[in-house]
Amino acid sequence: MRVLVAGASGVIGSRLVPLLIAVGHDVVALARGPRRTAELEAVGAGVVAADALDRDQLLAAVQQAAPDAVVNLLTAIPADVDPRHLARDFALTNRLRTEGTRNLLAAARAAGAGRIVAQGLAYGYQPGAGLANENDPLWHDATPRQFAPVLAALDSLEEQTAEAGGTVLRFGHLHGPGSAYAADGAFTAQVRAGKVPLVGGGHSVFSFTHADDAATAIVAALDRDAGGVLNVVDDDPAPLHVWLPEFAAGLGAPAPKRAPAALARLAVGGWGVAFMNQLRGADNARARLALNWRPRYASWREGLPVTDTAAKAA
């Protein structure tokens, strides 16, 4: 199969492209400029250049690529996101998920691509008890102000992908090379510096996804006509107050301090407090069944730098 990957140089794309090639697909990467072209060509991918927000440019590039399938991983998330200004920091990503997706799907139709797989988000569910499945609503009731435009853009991406008959894979908190949780990642640096407290008890439940597991799920979705949305997360959702101390200990960092939500709101805003204290974990049963997929990193303990000593101490 000839697969066009939009967002090929991101956290997931950098793991996906060589995997697709390894299993026999012909891969063409969409790049905005020449900066990553040599890296992509070095692993055996073809490259076409276009800005996803330039409709005519993108139409021409996708026509040139002539793909059978399109993978939409379009994002432009800064390495270090300020939760107080999430809407600002995600403004370009929101455009890519709305306008960019619209342009990409139009180009895919014009080129005759028969399969679409897109990257969604598994921690945008309405807070509630237990793990969320794909039938549960997204966070539309009392959405934190800074998160509202991010969620609106995700809604648009999912609706457009559904109308095109494609599949949206809702990934959890990404870890692995290039992620915020990597050894050189922005979140890891904050934890090392003792700057990530347990806000309001740290009750958010995190469902993680390793970048390699995201890549294998995309490969599986290309091979199967699953359709709809699927939670692609690990098997071990964990509250922040469980995994963060272990993560810090594994890094040799100070143990996280505790901070009242009201005080933390002054520093990180409403979305920062919600991120630490309200997120709902996700259930992966449907993806396991529909894609015959299993996470290689079944637990965050297998991908984050957590030591056995830290785990036992917690």
Side-chain angles (χ1 to χ4, degrees):
M1 185 185 297
R2 189 166 173 82
V3 182
L4 175 74
V5 180
S9 59
V11 175
I12 298 172
S14 61
R15 314 300 286 181
L16 174 64
V17 169
L19 177 62
L20 285 169
I21 294 169
V23 299
H25 292 294
D26 185 10
V27 178
V28 181
L30 179 69
R32 278 195 296 174
R35 188 166 65 92
R36 298 294 182 104
T37 298
E39 296 175 21
L40 292 164
E41 290 177 340
V43 298
V47 180
V48 291
D51 183 343
L53 297 177
D54 186 325
R55 185 181 180 90
D56 292 339
Q57 193 181 86
L58 186 61
L59 282 167
V62 177
Q63 286 281 8
Q64 178 185 340
D68 303 303
V70 170
V71 177
N72 180 3
L73 305 175
L74 291 170
T75 60
I77 301 170
D80 193 0
V81 175
D82 182 348
R84 294 170 299 177
H85 301 290
L86 185 77
R88 178 201 66 192
D89 289 352
F90 267 71
L92 181 53
T93 291
N94 294 342
R95 287 190 66 197
L96 289 169
R97 286 172 171 165
T98 52
E99 299 170 47
T101 293
R102 187 177 305 115
N103 294 341
L104 185 60
L105 291 176
R109 284 193 300 271
R115 186 145 300 178
I116 307 292
V117 179
Q119 173 184 356
L121 191 68
Y123 55 88
Y125 287 103
Q126 184 75 35
L131 300 179
N133 64 44
E134 294 82 352
N135 294 332
D136 287 313
L138 296 182
W139 198 345
H140 294 300
D141 181 18
T143 312
R145 181 175 59 85
Q146 289 291 328
F147 189 52
V150 178
L151 190 60
L154 287 163
D155 275 337
S156 176
L157 178 145
E158 292 196 354
E159 289 169 5
Q160 292 185 66
T161 305
E163 289 173 1
T167 302
V168 175
L169 303 181
R170 290 176 174 170
F171 299 121
H173 301 268
L174 287 174
H175 62 117
S179 75
Y181 300 91
D184 58 351
F187 185 86
T188 301
Q190 291 180 328
V191 173
R192 280 200 175 103
K195 294 182 178 179
V196 183
L198 289 171
V199 173
H203 296 298
S204 278
V205 176
F206 279 57
S207 286
F208 285 95
T209 306
H210 193 280
D212 287 342
D213 288 326
T216 60
I218 292 169
V219 172
L222 289 170
D223 289 339
R224 292 169 175 79
D225 190 14
V229 297
L230 297 169
N231 293 331
V232 174
V233 296
D234 71 16
D235 298 333
D236 189 19
L240 184 75
H241 64 77
V242 170
W243 71 262
L244 181 59
E246 293 190 33
F247 184 43
L251 295 170
K257 297 178 181 178
R258 295 187 175 271
L263 181 62
R265 187 179 298 272
L266 298 175
V268 297
W271 166 245
V273 172
F275 184 83
M276 305 290 277
N277 210 38
Q278 289 184 267
L279 298 187
R280 188 176 181 185
D283 181 87
N284 68 10
R286 191 172 299 179
R288 292 170 70 94
L289 181 62
L291 302 179
N292 191 27
W293 168 84
R294 303 291 183 272
R296 174 185 173 190
Y297 295 87
S299 170
W300 50 275
R301 289 187 171 97
E302 298 170 15
L304 296 179
V306 175
T307 65
D308 290 340
T309 301
K312 290 174 182 176

